[in-house]
Amino acid sequence: MTAGRAVTPAVGKALEAGIVVLFVATATTALYGGVVPDARNAAGSEVGERALEHAAAEVEAAVPPSGREAAVERRVSLPESIRDYGYEIRAANGSLVLAHDHPSVGGSTPLVLPDRVRTVTGAWDGGGGVVRVEPHPAGGVVVVLADEPSEVSDR
């Protein structure tokens, strides 16, 4: 009889430990299976939108308000990565497009530029680069997105 009573506390503690381990495993699975990835997707999407809007604002601000002959270079700083992956911002059809490997991150935003801007070309890898405004031989200006600065600078 005493041997049966001596085992009861040990079995009770083992059951308590098993219940705690089961609870922790269930909570961890629920968090990493649904809540945490959803939060990372939402945060990545928000960072992507902000980076794209910041890039568009910098491109628009680089174009001088007046004058047909202009040469300007402006540095643009952007996040190195979004959601732990690299990305690219490129010019396409009067807009900036963010391309990313994850489907929750990406998008495009139109550029609001004066009529004298003939084209916008180029791309930046994550981290940004420079935006150059160069005179076009036929009049007006061309906007170029590049990873490396040139000799011309407005700063």
Side-chain angles (χ1 to χ4, degrees):
M1 259 176 137
T2 53
R5 280 190 257 168
V7 174
T8 303
V11 171
K13 292 295 180 186
L15 286 174
E16 288 175 16
I19 290 171
V20 169
V21 168
L22 183 61
F23 173 75
V24 170
T26 303
T28 303
T29 302
L31 287 176
Y32 286 105
V35 175
V36 172
D38 290 345
R40 288 188 71 210
N41 291 344
S45 177
E46 182 67 26
V47 170
E49 287 176 21
R50 289 182 185 206
L52 193 56
E53 292 299 323
H54 176 71
E58 291 291 329
V59 169
E60 292 166 357
V63 178
S66 63
R68 300 185 81 70
E69 296 295 321
V72 174
E73 185 170 288
R74 182 183 192 120
R75 180 148 252 337
V76 178
S77 295
L78 297 170
E80 290 292 326
S81 65
I82 298 174
R83 206 177 180 281
D84 297 328
Y85 293 99
Y87 63 97
E88 178 186 62
I89 292 181
R90 67 179 177 275
N93 301 322
S95 297
L96 291 183
V97 177
L98 189 148
H100 193 276
D101 288 340
H102 198 276
S104 70
V105 180
S108 68
T109 187
L111 292 170
V112 180
L113 298 169
D115 290 338
R116 70 179 184 279
V117 175
R118 290 186 167 256
T119 61
V120 181
T121 61
W124 295 318
D125 290 329
V130 294
V131 57
R132 290 189 198 112
V133 179
E134 302 169 346
H136 190 274
V141 295
V142 175
V143 177
V144 179
L145 310 180
D147 287 326
E148 296 294 324
S150 69
E151 298 298 317
V152 179
S153 179
D154 68 339
R155 293 191 180 183

